[in-house]
Short mmCIF file of all heavy atoms in Angstrom, two decimals:
data_model
loop_
_atom_site.label_atom_id
_atom_site.label_comp_id
_atom_site.label_asym_id
_atom_site.label_seq_id
_atom_site.Cartn_x
_atom_site.Cartn_y
_atom_site.Cartn_z
N ASP A 1 0.83 -1.21 0.00
CA ASP A 1 0.00 0.00 0.00
C ASP A 1 0.86 1.26 0.00
O ASP A 1 0.57 2.23 -0.69
CB ASP A 1 -0.93 -0.01 1.22
CG ASP A 1 -2.26 0.69 0.96
OD1 ASP A 1 -2.49 1.16 -0.17
OD2 ASP A 1 -3.08 0.77 1.89
N ILE A 2 1.94 1.24 0.76
CA ILE A 2 2.80 2.42 0.84
C ILE A 2 3.67 2.56 -0.41
O ILE A 2 3.71 3.63 -1.04
CB ILE A 2 3.70 2.36 2.09
CG1 ILE A 2 2.86 2.48 3.38
CG2 ILE A 2 4.76 3.47 2.05
CD1 ILE A 2 3.65 2.22 4.65
N HIS A 3 4.35 1.50 -0.79
CA HIS A 3 5.41 1.62 -1.79
C HIS A 3 4.97 1.33 -3.21
O HIS A 3 5.59 1.84 -4.15
CB HIS A 3 6.58 0.72 -1.40
CG HIS A 3 7.10 1.01 -0.03
ND1 HIS A 3 7.65 2.22 0.31
CD2 HIS A 3 7.12 0.25 1.11
CE1 HIS A 3 7.99 2.21 1.58
NE2 HIS A 3 7.69 1.03 2.09
N VAL A 4 3.93 0.55 -3.39
CA VAL A 4 3.42 0.28 -4.74
C VAL A 4 2.24 1.20 -5.05
O VAL A 4 2.21 1.86 -6.09
CB VAL A 4 3.02 -1.20 -4.91
CG1 VAL A 4 2.47 -1.45 -6.31
CG2 VAL A 4 4.22 -2.11 -4.64
N ASN A 5 1.28 1.29 -4.12
CA ASN A 5 0.12 2.16 -4.34
C ASN A 5 0.42 3.63 -4.06
O ASN A 5 -0.32 4.50 -4.49
CB ASN A 5 -1.06 1.71 -3.47
CG ASN A 5 -1.60 0.37 -3.89
OD1 ASN A 5 -1.42 -0.06 -5.04
ND2 ASN A 5 -2.27 -0.32 -2.98
N GLY A 6 1.49 3.90 -3.31
CA GLY A 6 1.89 5.28 -3.07
C GLY A 6 1.09 6.00 -2.00
O GLY A 6 1.10 7.23 -1.95
N HIS A 7 0.45 5.26 -1.12
CA HIS A 7 -0.35 5.89 -0.07
C HIS A 7 0.54 6.28 1.11
O HIS A 7 1.31 5.46 1.61
CB HIS A 7 -1.47 4.96 0.37
CG HIS A 7 -2.46 4.68 -0.71
ND1 HIS A 7 -3.22 3.54 -0.79
CD2 HIS A 7 -2.81 5.42 -1.81
CE1 HIS A 7 -4.00 3.57 -1.85
NE2 HIS A 7 -3.76 4.70 -2.49
N ARG A 8 0.41 7.51 1.59
CA ARG A 8 1.30 8.03 2.62
C ARG A 8 0.57 8.37 3.92
O ARG A 8 1.18 8.91 4.84
CB ARG A 8 2.02 9.28 2.11
CG ARG A 8 2.83 9.06 0.85
CD ARG A 8 3.97 8.10 1.04
NE ARG A 8 5.01 8.66 1.89
CZ ARG A 8 6.08 7.99 2.29
NH1 ARG A 8 6.24 6.73 1.93
NH2 ARG A 8 6.97 8.56 3.07
N ASP A 9 -0.72 8.08 4.01
CA ASP A 9 -1.43 8.24 5.28
C ASP A 9 -1.15 6.98 6.08
O ASP A 9 -1.82 5.96 5.95
CB ASP A 9 -2.93 8.41 5.03
CG ASP A 9 -3.72 8.62 6.32
OD1 ASP A 9 -3.25 8.20 7.40
OD2 ASP A 9 -4.82 9.19 6.24
N PHE A 10 -0.11 7.03 6.94
CA PHE A 10 0.39 5.83 7.58
C PHE A 10 -0.60 5.21 8.57
O PHE A 10 -0.60 4.00 8.76
CB PHE A 10 1.72 6.12 8.26
CG PHE A 10 2.83 6.47 7.30
CD1 PHE A 10 3.69 7.51 7.56
CD2 PHE A 10 3.00 5.75 6.13
CE1 PHE A 10 4.71 7.83 6.69
CE2 PHE A 10 4.01 6.06 5.24
CZ PHE A 10 4.87 7.11 5.52
N GLU A 11 -1.44 6.03 9.17
CA GLU A 11 -2.47 5.45 10.04
C GLU A 11 -3.49 4.68 9.21
O GLU A 11 -3.85 3.55 9.55
CB GLU A 11 -3.17 6.54 10.84
CG GLU A 11 -4.25 5.99 11.76
CD GLU A 11 -4.89 7.05 12.65
OE1 GLU A 11 -4.36 8.17 12.76
OE2 GLU A 11 -5.93 6.72 13.25
N ALA A 12 -3.92 5.25 8.11
CA ALA A 12 -4.92 4.59 7.26
C ALA A 12 -4.36 3.30 6.65
O ALA A 12 -5.06 2.27 6.63
CB ALA A 12 -5.39 5.53 6.16
N VAL A 13 -3.13 3.33 6.15
CA VAL A 13 -2.58 2.12 5.54
C VAL A 13 -2.36 1.03 6.59
O VAL A 13 -2.54 -0.16 6.30
CB VAL A 13 -1.28 2.38 4.75
CG1 VAL A 13 -1.53 3.31 3.59
CG2 VAL A 13 -0.15 2.88 5.62
N SER A 14 -2.02 1.43 7.82
CA SER A 14 -1.86 0.44 8.89
C SER A 14 -3.20 -0.24 9.18
O SER A 14 -3.27 -1.46 9.35
CB SER A 14 -1.32 1.12 10.15
OG SER A 14 -0.02 1.64 9.93
N ARG A 15 -4.26 0.57 9.23
CA ARG A 15 -5.59 0.00 9.49
C ARG A 15 -6.01 -0.94 8.36
O ARG A 15 -6.51 -2.04 8.60
CB ARG A 15 -6.61 1.11 9.67
CG ARG A 15 -6.42 1.91 10.96
CD ARG A 15 -7.54 2.93 11.17
NE ARG A 15 -7.26 3.76 12.33
CZ ARG A 15 -7.50 3.41 13.59
NH1 ARG A 15 -8.05 2.23 13.86
NH2 ARG A 15 -7.22 4.22 14.59
N ARG A 16 -5.80 -0.52 7.11
CA ARG A 16 -6.20 -1.36 5.97
C ARG A 16 -5.43 -2.67 5.97
O ARG A 16 -5.98 -3.74 5.70
CB ARG A 16 -5.97 -0.62 4.65
CG ARG A 16 -7.03 0.39 4.32
CD ARG A 16 -6.98 0.79 2.86
NE ARG A 16 -5.75 1.47 2.50
CZ ARG A 16 -5.56 2.79 2.58
NH1 ARG A 16 -6.52 3.57 3.04
NH2 ARG A 16 -4.41 3.33 2.21
N ALA A 17 -4.13 -2.61 6.28
CA ALA A 17 -3.32 -3.83 6.28
C ALA A 17 -3.78 -4.80 7.36
O ALA A 17 -3.83 -6.01 7.13
CB ALA A 17 -1.85 -3.48 6.46
N LEU A 18 -4.13 -4.28 8.52
CA LEU A 18 -4.62 -5.16 9.59
C LEU A 18 -5.91 -5.85 9.17
O LEU A 18 -6.06 -7.07 9.36
CB LEU A 18 -4.86 -4.34 10.87
CG LEU A 18 -3.61 -3.87 11.60
CD1 LEU A 18 -3.99 -2.83 12.66
CD2 LEU A 18 -2.88 -5.04 12.24
N VAL A 19 -6.82 -5.10 8.60
CA VAL A 19 -8.09 -5.69 8.16
C VAL A 19 -7.84 -6.73 7.06
O VAL A 19 -8.44 -7.81 7.07
CB VAL A 19 -9.05 -4.58 7.66
CG1 VAL A 19 -10.28 -5.19 6.99
CG2 VAL A 19 -9.47 -3.69 8.83
N GLU A 20 -6.93 -6.41 6.14
CA GLU A 20 -6.63 -7.33 5.03
C GLU A 20 -6.15 -8.69 5.52
O GLU A 20 -6.47 -9.72 4.93
CB GLU A 20 -5.58 -6.70 4.12
CG GLU A 20 -5.24 -7.54 2.90
CD GLU A 20 -4.25 -6.85 1.97
OE1 GLU A 20 -4.28 -5.61 1.88
OE2 GLU A 20 -3.45 -7.57 1.36
N ILE A 21 -5.40 -8.72 6.62
CA ILE A 21 -4.87 -9.99 7.12
C ILE A 21 -5.71 -10.57 8.25
O ILE A 21 -5.32 -11.55 8.87
CB ILE A 21 -3.40 -9.86 7.55
CG1 ILE A 21 -3.25 -8.95 8.77
CG2 ILE A 21 -2.54 -9.40 6.39
CD1 ILE A 21 -1.87 -9.00 9.40
N GLY A 22 -6.87 -9.95 8.51
CA GLY A 22 -7.80 -10.52 9.48
C GLY A 22 -7.54 -10.17 10.92
O GLY A 22 -7.99 -10.89 11.82
N LEU A 23 -6.86 -9.06 11.18
CA LEU A 23 -6.63 -8.61 12.54
C LEU A 23 -7.43 -7.35 12.83
O LEU A 23 -7.88 -6.65 11.92
CB LEU A 23 -5.13 -8.34 12.77
CG LEU A 23 -4.21 -9.56 12.71
CD1 LEU A 23 -2.77 -9.13 12.93
CD2 LEU A 23 -4.61 -10.62 13.71
N ASP A 24 -7.61 -7.06 14.11
CA ASP A 24 -8.42 -5.93 14.54
C ASP A 24 -7.66 -4.63 14.32
O ASP A 24 -6.53 -4.47 14.79
CB ASP A 24 -8.76 -6.10 16.02
CG ASP A 24 -9.87 -5.16 16.48
OD1 ASP A 24 -9.89 -4.00 16.01
OD2 ASP A 24 -10.69 -5.58 17.31
N GLU A 25 -8.28 -3.70 13.62
CA GLU A 25 -7.62 -2.43 13.33
C GLU A 25 -7.40 -1.58 14.58
O GLU A 25 -6.68 -0.57 14.54
CB GLU A 25 -8.39 -1.63 12.28
CG GLU A 25 -9.75 -1.15 12.71
CD GLU A 25 -10.41 -0.31 11.62
OE1 GLU A 25 -10.06 0.87 11.48
OE2 GLU A 25 -11.27 -0.86 10.91
N SER A 26 -7.98 -1.97 15.70
CA SER A 26 -7.75 -1.22 16.94
C SER A 26 -6.28 -1.29 17.38
O SER A 26 -5.86 -0.50 18.23
CB SER A 26 -8.65 -1.74 18.07
OG SER A 26 -8.28 -3.06 18.43
N LEU A 27 -5.51 -2.22 16.82
CA LEU A 27 -4.08 -2.24 17.12
C LEU A 27 -3.41 -0.91 16.74
O LEU A 27 -2.39 -0.54 17.32
CB LEU A 27 -3.39 -3.40 16.40
CG LEU A 27 -3.68 -4.81 16.94
CD1 LEU A 27 -3.01 -5.86 16.07
CD2 LEU A 27 -3.22 -4.95 18.38
N VAL A 28 -3.99 -0.21 15.78
CA VAL A 28 -3.44 1.09 15.40
C VAL A 28 -3.65 2.11 16.52
O VAL A 28 -2.82 3.00 16.72
CB VAL A 28 -4.04 1.60 14.08
CG1 VAL A 28 -3.53 2.99 13.73
CG2 VAL A 28 -3.70 0.63 12.95
N ASP A 29 -4.75 1.98 17.25
CA ASP A 29 -4.96 2.89 18.38
C ASP A 29 -3.83 2.71 19.40
O ASP A 29 -3.33 3.69 19.96
CB ASP A 29 -6.32 2.63 19.02
CG ASP A 29 -7.47 2.87 18.05
OD1 ASP A 29 -7.35 3.79 17.21
OD2 ASP A 29 -8.47 2.13 18.11
N ASP A 30 -3.44 1.46 19.63
CA ASP A 30 -2.30 1.21 20.52
C ASP A 30 -1.01 1.78 19.92
O ASP A 30 -0.14 2.26 20.65
CB ASP A 30 -2.12 -0.30 20.75
CG ASP A 30 -3.26 -0.90 21.57
OD1 ASP A 30 -3.87 -0.17 22.37
OD2 ASP A 30 -3.52 -2.11 21.39
N ALA A 31 -0.90 1.73 18.58
CA ALA A 31 0.31 2.19 17.91
C ALA A 31 0.45 3.71 17.97
O ALA A 31 1.53 4.24 17.70
CB ALA A 31 0.33 1.72 16.46
#
């Protein structure tokens, strides 16, 4: 998402990646 798609909103890409692999996006709140 960051390096191929060029997305630089690091909070948003972190949330999308968590959802994509089946984890809870609330881990970003901890991050």
